[in-house]
Amino acid sequence: MYYVKLFSIESKRPRSSNKSQVKYFNNHIDRLQNYFNDNLEFYHYFRRGAIFLDEEYFMRGKADIRLFPDSLSFFTDDKFSTSHDTTVATIMAYDMLIIYLKREIDKLENNNSMETNFNAFKKQSKLFWTGNKTDLIELIYALHSSGSVNSGTADIKEMASACEQMFNIDLGDYYRTFLEIRSRKINQTKFIDKLKQSLENKMLDSDE
């Protein structure tokens, strides 16, 4: 699903200005998001890692029109497919596509500013992130969502780039890592919770 859709998008990509390409990609992101909106009830069920309807959604022969399955499921082999397996696959594929499109937009919009960002951190930091890379990404997104940097106007790419330079680390595909963090069924804010506990322990030790 991902590669078929990606081929279709790229084969029709405008060969004109960066502005036209950004507009083209943003239009596709909006269309992909519309799929989530059209399947909002199940989308929320899937995103929060719920399981109480899994027997209805993901067991063969359990199709129930009251659960609003994808209409295409009625044309699939009920001995092979379930009512919502295609919907899950589509959500996963569209998540990947949105990540890809946002990265392409970043390249187009920030192409001219990459040299400026490099010069700003030309003096290499002596700090090194020795923890888990996923933990740092969780922290970056927490800071971004809190609006504590530049009064909430800082772009996630700017913040990730700053942390990469500050801590001498390559975060890789942090968009994808954030999706993995968001899809955790247990303790989505594992590192943030660990930070809170560590600080509380430090304060207790200081009191003693």
Side-chain angles (χ1 to χ4, degrees):
M1 284 182 179
Y2 169 73
Y3 286 108
V4 169
K5 191 75 175 176
L6 178 60
F7 178 80
S8 175
I9 292 172
E10 281 290 4
S11 63
K12 299 172 185 176
R13 180 173 180 168
R15 299 295 182 258
S16 53
S17 66
N18 286 9
K19 185 176 181 181
S20 297
Q21 294 182 59
V22 168
K23 182 179 180 182
Y24 173 77
F25 285 140
N26 276 322
N27 285 338
H28 274 287
I29 289 175
D30 289 341
R31 293 177 194 174
L32 297 173
Q33 293 283 2
N34 285 338
Y35 181 83
F36 300 152
N37 294 332
D38 291 340
N39 297 274
L40 197 58
E41 184 176 350
F42 178 74
Y43 180 78
H44 286 161
Y45 174 88
F46 175 70
R47 277 284 171 249
R48 67 176 183 266
I51 60 173
F52 65 95
L53 286 175
D54 278 7
E55 186 174 336
E56 303 295 330
Y57 286 141
F58 304 117
M59 287 189 67
R60 299 181 185 93
K62 290 282 188 176
D64 187 340
I65 59 173
R66 293 172 298 179
L67 295 177
F68 304 104
D70 190 324
S71 60
L72 291 176
S73 66
F74 293 112
F75 300 100
T76 58
D77 184 355
D78 60 3
K79 293 181 180 178
F80 177 79
S81 300
T82 66
S83 65
H84 285 72
D85 53 4
T86 302
T87 307
V88 171
T90 304
I91 290 173
M92 294 171 70
Y94 284 10
D95 274 342
M96 293 167 64
L97 281 165
I98 289 172
I99 290 170
Y100 174 87
L101 294 174
K102 284 184 175 180
R103 292 184 70 185
E104 290 301 302
I105 290 172
D106 280 344
K107 291 178 186 176
L108 292 166
E109 289 184 335
N110 298 306
N111 187 42
N112 296 329
S113 63
M114 289 180 68
E115 186 175 349
T116 304
N117 290 337
F118 175 78
N119 290 332
F121 291 94
K122 196 170 183 180
K123 185 178 180 182
Q124 187 174 4
S125 168
K126 294 182 180 180
L127 300 175
F128 291 86
W129 182 265
T130 54
N132 190 299
K133 186 184 296 186
T134 302
D135 292 343
L136 179 55
I137 293 172
E138 182 183 327
L139 178 61
I140 291 169
Y141 272 89
L143 289 170
H144 181 262
S145 63
S146 72
S148 301
V149 181
N150 288 1
S151 300
T153 61
D155 183 81
I156 193 72
K157 180 178 175 62
E158 293 176 312
M159 294 178 62
S161 178
C163 287
E164 285 180 324
Q165 296 290 342
M166 183 187 304
F167 295 120
N168 291 291
I169 187 173
D170 179 8
L171 292 175
D173 193 344
Y174 46 86
Y175 285 122
R176 180 185 293 276
T177 303
F178 175 66
L179 287 177
E180 293 172 357
I181 293 171
R182 193 174 67 176
S183 65
R184 291 173 182 165
K185 291 189 175 181
I186 301 175
N187 196 7
Q188 289 180 313
T189 57
K190 181 168 60 176
F191 183 62
I192 304 301
D193 294 343
K194 180 182 176 181
L195 287 179
K196 180 176 181 291
Q197 186 63 53
S198 298
L199 179 58
E200 288 176 347
N201 290 342
K202 178 73 173 178
M203 291 175 175
L204 287 173
D205 291 342
S206 298
D207 290 340
E208 294 174 0

